Amino acid sequence: MENNKYNRAYLKMPVSELLELVRTHKITGKAYINYSLMDEDWYEALINHLHERDLTPEERIIFDQIMSSDTATLITAEKQIELIKEKEHKSMLPEKYPALRTIAGFFKLLAWIVGIVAVIAAVLLASKGGDFGILISVIVIVIGAIILLGLLAISESIMVLIDIEHNTRQKSKTN
């Protein structure tokens, strides 16, 4: 890629913004970079930059669609660009609350261990204890299932709280 002022500027921008600039320019005949009207040199450099830039297959398809589409189709391409923006945004954000995620994973692992141990204990009790062993094994299975579901519920509750925080943060950024 030729190292010039255009490419230096475009390399700092996410692909979704560059695609949006091309789409806007094709629809309206003009686009703005940093609140300045993009002249034809900038636009041509943008097209060249996107042709040369290492795009994902999805980004390449959208770029090709924008370049070969009419105005009506370009207006509908906005949703595809928004999806790319969302993916870029998610990939740049570090996961919040790693300790809570670890605790949720621990509870999920513990739940499955309890479930497996309950089944093994029930099978052993049923095979060695006669009629009384079968009754005890049913009780062990029921108690194991209750504990398993309780631990899974705790794990999922923690994840729900993390998701609520994430969604609230996303909503506040869009407003």
Side-chain angles (χ1 to χ4, degrees):
M1 215 179 285
E2 184 181 319
N3 190 8
N4 59 37
K5 69 177 181 179
Y6 304 118
N7 281 330
R8 282 194 305 274
Y10 293 142
L11 282 171
K12 294 177 185 175
M13 298 173 71
V15 173
S16 60
E17 285 184 32
L18 299 176
L19 292 173
E20 182 62 28
L21 284 171
V22 173
R23 189 185 76 82
T24 302
H25 192 277
K26 285 201 65 146
I27 292 172
T28 64
K30 56 186 173 185
Y32 293 89
I33 296 180
N34 298 331
Y35 306 106
S36 299
L37 185 62
M38 178 189 295
D39 65 18
E40 285 304 312
D41 291 338
W42 277 89
Y43 180 71
E44 289 301 319
L46 172 59
I47 300 302
N48 291 334
H49 176 83
L50 285 170
H51 278 296
E52 296 172 3
R53 189 161 173 169
D54 187 25
L55 302 177
T56 67
E58 181 183 22
E59 293 165 343
R60 177 67 58 199
I61 289 169
I62 292 172
F63 175 61
D64 291 341
Q65 286 175 344
I66 290 171
M67 294 308 294
S68 64
S69 296
D70 60 349
T71 304
T73 308
L74 291 173
I75 292 171
T76 60
E78 184 175 6
K79 289 186 188 234
Q80 293 174 318
I81 294 172
E82 287 299 319
L83 290 174
I84 291 176
K85 282 183 185 178
E86 189 174 306
K87 285 180 185 177
E88 288 173 346
H89 182 69
K90 284 182 181 177
S91 68
M92 291 188 297
L93 287 178
E95 284 193 349
K96 291 189 88 177
Y97 308 112
L100 283 177
R101 290 178 191 278
T102 303
I103 292 168
F106 171 75
F107 275 113
K108 188 175 280 189
L109 177 66
L110 185 62
W112 290 112
I113 290 172
V114 166
I116 291 169
V117 168
V119 169
I120 291 171
V123 168
L124 290 175
L125 287 170
S127 66
K128 301 219 186 234
D131 290 338
F132 187 68
I134 292 174
L135 176 64
I136 296 295
S137 68
V138 169
I139 292 171
V140 167
I141 289 287
V142 169
I143 291 173
I146 290 170
I147 294 171
L148 176 121
L149 291 174
L151 291 170
L152 284 176
I154 290 170
S155 172
E156 293 298 315
S157 296
I158 292 170
M159 294 308 294
V160 164
L161 292 173
I162 293 171
D163 287 344
I164 288 171
E165 183 279 332
H166 174 76
N167 291 340
T168 303
R169 188 168 18 104
Q170 291 298 99
K171 184 72 173 173
S172 70
K173 286 182 181 179
T174 59
N175 289 338

